Amino acid sequence: MSVFDEDLFLKGLEQRKSTLGTAYVEKNLAAADDFTRPFQEAMTAWCWGFGWGDDVIDAKTRSMMNLSMIGALGKMDEWETHCRGAINNGVSRDEIRAIIHVIGIYCGVPQALQCFRVARKVLADNESDA
């Protein structure tokens, strides 16, 4: 990892595991090969170490912001991942619903419906895990 500061990567790795779960992160890193590993390392250092690594915005608020932005972009696989992470960071069912309402207002009803479909699955999975 010559391009990145190792400390930033390790800080990002800790935050990424805290939000998305150790098993999920380790599975993704283990699946990385010579082609995808540089991106996994960069994303961990930049997104999770730099972006999530400061203390200005708490993890719960960041998760709520991410759900809004990723929902607006319509990236539903990532939205599902970050919905799970948001729950890990303390975002409630009611807060997820309120975020989807905002997505519906600003991005359209079809996008909100997609978010609701994914959120229902994530919430049901989370309840069965409890």
Side-chain angles (χ1 to χ4, degrees):
M1 226 176 81
S2 61
V3 177
F4 300 104
D5 181 319
E6 186 71 17
D7 291 336
L8 192 60
F9 174 81
L10 293 174
K11 183 178 188 178
L13 186 60
E14 181 181 337
Q15 180 61 51
R16 189 176 175 198
K17 286 179 178 181
S18 173
T19 297
L20 302 179
T22 299
Y24 175 85
V25 174
E26 288 179 357
K27 177 181 155 196
N28 277 275
L29 291 174
D33 56 21
D34 291 342
F35 185 63
T36 60
R37 187 171 296 107
F39 180 77
Q40 283 288 326
E41 291 171 349
M43 187 254 318
T44 300
W46 182 246
C47 296
W48 293 99
F50 176 78
W52 282 72
D54 67 55
D55 296 327
V56 176
I57 301 172
D58 61 276
K60 180 180 177 181
T61 302
R62 282 186 202 279
S63 282
M64 294 170 82
M65 292 169 52
N66 275 7
L67 287 179
S68 299
M69 291 182 287
I70 296 167
L73 291 169
K75 305 301 182 189
M76 300 315 296
D77 289 338
E78 285 299 308
W79 202 89
E80 180 176 348
T81 298
H82 280 276
C83 190
R84 293 180 194 289
I87 292 167
N88 290 341
N89 285 335
V91 178
S92 72
R93 182 176 201 243
D94 289 342
E95 289 168 326
I96 292 169
R97 179 179 38 241
I99 292 164
I100 296 171
H101 289 169
V102 172
I103 291 168
I105 292 165
Y106 288 96
C107 303
V109 171
Q111 190 56 41
L113 290 171
Q114 283 191 303
C115 290
F116 271 119
R117 283 185 199 107
V118 173
R120 288 176 100 182
K121 175 182 182 278
V122 169
L123 291 166
D125 290 348
N126 194 55
E127 289 171 4
S128 69
D129 290 343

